[in-house]
Amino acid sequence: MQRVVRAAAGRLAHAGRRAPPLWGPARAAAARWLNGGREAMDYDVVVVGAGPAGLAAAIRLKQLCRAADTDLSVCVLEKGSEVGAHVLSGNVFEPRALDELIPQWRQEDAPIRVPVSSDKFWLLTKNKAWTLPSPFENKGNYVISLSQLVRWMAVKAEELGVEVYPGFAASEILYGENQIVTGVATKDVGITKDGSKRETFQPGVELRGRITLLAEGCRGSLSEKIIRNHKLRESGQGQHQTYALGIKEVWEIEEGKHKPGSVVHTVGWPLGTKTYGGSFIYHLDDRQLAIGLVVALNYRNPFMSPYDEFQKFKQHPSVRKLLEGGTVLQYGARTLNEGGFQSIPNPVFPGGAIIGCSAGFLNVPKIKGTHTAMKSGMLAAEATFESLVKGSSMELYWENLKKSWIWEELYTARNYRPAFEYGFIPGMALSALERYIFKGKSPFTLKHGRPDHEATDMANLHSPIHYPKPDGQISFDVPTSLYMSNTNHEHDQPPHLRLRDPTVPETVNLPLYAGPESRYCPARVYEYVSDENGHQKLHINAQNCLHCKACDIKDPKQNMEWTVPEGGGGPGYTVM
């Protein structure tokens, strides 16, 4: 085992990233070698993903162990080069779940220092910002960097005895008898694009758990397989998930423009009346400002580019004046769940459970999901403890979830997002009715429209959109933004972005939809280039990938499959 982990540490050090700690001697001694040179490690609980849900689950498990004077071995795997490297969120943080998990967090130097000081809601037209009553109720919340918060949570987890291992990408679900999940395996490393093994080849490691908790975030690759294979959507609330793409930058702005704790949300321009979405502007500390645009992925126009819409948004007079004289510190993008109550799957499968955004607990009208993700992890931890120590069923998680404040929150918020299926103005009217008259207790539940990939219209129904050229000061081209994401992948490895049918891009996507993958991807991973005969062919720049998962969601024929690359690859967020 030490050989495997030292090799991984060497790979990360070579890439200029912090290497994960070595497994301890006791854990190494317990390793079992399997056929093919793959090694197996046994734990009571394996958690996949060191985000807020996964770390909250691990911390809660160890707290319960201490209270009961018992012990369970808990391992958390993280595909990013370090904890927080792949975590991106707005983020106006509601501390409700953290208050329950670590009540003394205010005395423990948590990176939660900027309370919301003002809360504004703007309706934008091309040149003006009209102030509307704010529906968000952010009093008592904080403006934070979620990537910094999860790093702090990882330290708290390790202090309780949790083993946290960044740089290891879980790529395979392990099954025992009767299709019971028994853990995960990490991805082999040191394989070239043509499938041959380099001298540095190391086989993946099997991490076997009595219970496996999947906390991969929105559109988790293993979670989606489990949801499909076990029909968890059908045995849950029944409706498909719907998504949005969030694009974000963190700026350092001039001192005189900085107002710590100021929160602004907008609707309207630059998005049209048929596209759901909005923007955010949050003032953190140290003159930092988080700015972003969220675009629902059920948009219809295949010529739309969410990245370019974001660049255009920053040129609005009310926004540009904030940014002028400032400097971009970081760029990133990530999809988020917007299906809410109607799309919650049954989160329990034989041998484990799905937690956090992998299941989908975002509260859309609040624009918040961290507190619900953490609470879901805590509920799953409590059910896991009861299962392993007292022999109860993991179904306790599903039962307690439906009794929790998560369920109450999402039920109350259930009609906001589908209301906008009817357009911007009807959506605003229905949302106002839901909030101020029914107060979330309306006698009906609206349904979502078509899945996001089916919502894309044929190109002949729309005209191409001509976006302004970036000015290099407020708006930027994609290569410049990618540089600010710290994205890095081993170039010579099998592609982690796979086409189920390699002919579809040239025979369907390009002629019928004008190649939308070249625009919905916020990293320009996909581009059409001419071959020697002048024919347009899809070229995949996998090394640019931000792990946002938009391609896995928006491709019109669901022909693209996002899988994990070698552990440690991807963005390197530090302040997102």
Side-chain angles (χ1 to χ4, degrees), residues 58-363:
I59 290 169
R60 185 65 184 133
L61 269 166
K62 284 295 188 178
Q63 289 174 337
L64 292 168
C65 288
R66 286 195 174 186
D69 194 24
T70 187
D71 190 34
L72 295 172
S73 57
V74 182
C75 168
V76 179
L77 286 182
E78 167 56 42
K79 66 181 173 69
S81 60
E82 61 181 7
V83 174
H86 290 180
V87 173
L88 181 151
S89 179
N91 180 295
V92 174
F93 178 69
E94 182 175 320
R96 182 175 188 177
L98 187 60
D99 285 339
E100 296 178 15
L101 182 66
I102 307 176
Q104 70 281 9
W105 63 265
R106 291 172 179 83
Q107 291 77 48
E108 297 204 4
D109 199 30
I112 307 172
R113 296 178 289 269
V114 184
V116 173
S117 59
S118 66
D119 192 3
K120 296 179 181 179
F121 186 40
W122 293 346
L123 171 63
L124 297 185
T125 58
K126 185 175 182 179
N127 293 306
K128 295 199 174 190
W130 303 91
T131 300
L132 303 177
S134 177
F136 298 108
E137 298 180 353
N138 279 314
K139 184 178 180 180
N141 296 333
Y142 296 80
V143 181
I144 69 163
S145 158
L146 188 58
S147 58
Q148 292 178 353
L149 177 60
V150 297
R151 280 194 286 276
W152 177 82
M153 291 178 67
V155 171
K156 295 301 171 186
E158 289 177 326
E159 289 173 354
L160 290 168
V162 176
E163 299 178 25
V164 182
Y165 298 117
F168 292 89
S171 62
E172 178 186 347
I173 301 165
L174 302 177
Y175 289 95
E177 295 181 359
N178 301 319
Q179 288 297 291
I180 295 175
V181 173
T182 58
V184 297
T186 63
K187 193 177 183 70
D188 293 345
V189 295
I191 298 178
T192 65
K193 284 184 177 179
D194 63 11
S196 60
K197 297 177 181 178
R198 296 196 297 267
E199 290 183 1
T200 56
F201 171 78
Q202 293 290 344
V205 179
E206 292 192 0
L207 295 115
R208 296 188 173 272
R210 296 165 64 194
I211 295 291
T212 301
L213 300 179
L214 298 178
E216 303 170 284
C218 177
R219 196 75 172 196
S221 49
L222 299 185
S223 303
E224 288 299 310
K225 289 179 181 177
I226 290 286
I227 289 172
R228 287 194 301 270
N229 293 346
H230 293 273
K231 300 188 185 307
L232 299 182
R233 192 83 60 198
E234 292 83 349
S235 61
Q237 293 301 98
Q239 292 191 39
H240 61 266
Q241 186 59 261
T242 184
Y243 302 89
L245 175 64
I247 301 174
K248 176 183 175 181
E249 291 172 349
V250 175
W251 285 64
E252 183 177 82
I253 62 172
E254 294 176 340
E255 182 69 39
K257 301 175 181 177
H258 186 233
K259 301 175 182 179
S262 171
V263 168
V264 176
H265 294 98
T266 84
V267 292
W269 189 89
L271 302 179
T273 58
K274 294 182 180 180
T275 301
Y276 179 75
S279 70
F280 59 87
I281 305 169
Y282 304 153
H283 292 246
L284 297 99
D285 53 3
D286 299 327
R287 292 169 44 208
Q288 291 184 8
L289 178 141
I291 183 169
L293 180 71
V294 178
V295 180
L297 286 176
N298 67 341
Y299 67 81
R300 296 166 59 182
N301 188 343
F303 293 107
M304 176 183 280
S305 163
Y307 177 87
D308 291 302
E309 295 289 339
F310 174 53
Q311 302 306 316
K312 187 164 71 171
F313 159 72
K314 290 185 293 175
Q315 298 289 357
H316 189 280
S318 296
V319 180
R320 183 182 176 91
K321 67 182 181 182
L322 271 174
L323 303 179
E324 285 177 330
T327 305
V328 180
L329 302 178
Q330 207 149 81
Y331 164 81
R334 188 70 170 92
T335 51
L336 52 148
N337 310 60
E338 288 193 338
F341 181 80
Q342 293 91 319
S343 302
I344 298 173
N346 180 336
V348 178
F349 56 84
I354 302 173
I355 60 178
C357 289
S358 285
F361 299 117
L362 179 81
N363 184 324

Side-chain angles (χ1 to χ4, degrees), residues 509-524:
N509 286 12
L510 186 59
L512 298 184
Y513 299 96
E517 58 269 53
S518 64
R519 289 177 291 275
Y520 62 61
C521 173
R524 295 297 187 267

Side-chain angles (χ1 to χ4, degrees), residues 349-396:
F349 56 84
I354 302 173
I355 60 178
C357 289
S358 285
F361 299 117
L362 179 81
N363 184 324
V364 173
K366 274 190 175 184
I367 322 179
K368 293 177 184 63
T370 302
H371 65 304
T372 50
M374 290 176 64
K375 180 63 175 179
S376 73
M378 295 157 64
L379 292 171
E382 290 160 6
T384 298
F385 182 82
E386 292 290 318
S387 175
L388 296 180
V389 175
K390 300 181 181 179
S392 62
S393 169
M394 279 299 292
E395 289 293 334
L396 182 65

Side-chain angles (χ1 to χ4, degrees), residues 291-502:
I291 183 169
L293 180 71
V294 178
V295 180
L297 286 176
N298 67 341
Y299 67 81
R300 296 166 59 182
N301 188 343
F303 293 107
M304 176 183 280
S305 163
Y307 177 87
D308 291 302
E309 295 289 339
F310 174 53
Q311 302 306 316
K312 187 164 71 171
F313 159 72
K314 290 185 293 175
Q315 298 289 357
H316 189 280
S318 296
V319 180
R320 183 182 176 91
K321 67 182 181 182
L322 271 174
L323 303 179
E324 285 177 330
T327 305
V328 180
L329 302 178
Q330 207 149 81
Y331 164 81
R334 188 70 170 92
T335 51
L336 52 148
N337 310 60
E338 288 193 338
F341 181 80
Q342 293 91 319
S343 302
I344 298 173
N346 180 336
V348 178
F349 56 84
I354 302 173
I355 60 178
C357 289
S358 285
F361 299 117
L362 179 81
N363 184 324
V364 173
K366 274 190 175 184
I367 322 179
K368 293 177 184 63
T370 302
H371 65 304
T372 50
M374 290 176 64
K375 180 63 175 179
S376 73
M378 295 157 64
L379 292 171
E382 290 160 6
T384 298
F385 182 82
E386 292 290 318
S387 175
L388 296 180
V389 175
K390 300 181 181 179
S392 62
S393 169
M394 279 299 292
E395 289 293 334
L396 182 65
Y397 168 40
W398 185 218
E399 295 168 8
N400 288 344
L401 182 67
K402 289 185 279 190
K403 299 174 185 175
S404 72
W405 52 257
I406 296 177
W407 200 262
E408 180 182 358
E409 258 198 38
L410 296 189
Y411 180 79
T412 301
R414 71 195 184 282
N415 284 332
Y416 287 85
R417 175 64 186 88
F420 285 86
E421 292 290 335
Y422 305 99
F424 176 73
I425 294 175
M428 291 289 283
L430 284 168
S431 295
L433 185 69
E434 189 75 16
R435 176 176 174 80
Y436 297 109
I437 304 300
F438 290 124
K439 301 185 185 301
K441 298 179 180 178
S442 52
F444 54 84
T445 296
L446 299 176
K447 290 187 177 182
H448 296 302
R450 293 176 292 174
D452 296 335
H453 68 279
E454 293 181 5
T456 310
D457 285 342
M458 297 283 191
N460 62 4
L461 299 176
H462 298 269
S463 299
I465 301 173
H466 300 289
Y467 290 101
K469 184 178 179 180
D471 61 18
Q473 296 178 341
I474 303 298
S475 55
F476 306 95
D477 58 21
V478 172
T480 301
S481 292
L482 279 177
Y483 177 78
M484 293 182 287
S485 71
N486 300 318
T487 295
N488 181 60
H489 292 88
E490 166 60 53
H491 181 74
D492 190 14
Q493 64 173 303
H496 70 280
L497 303 164
R498 301 172 183 172
L499 301 177
R500 293 182 171 92
D501 182 345

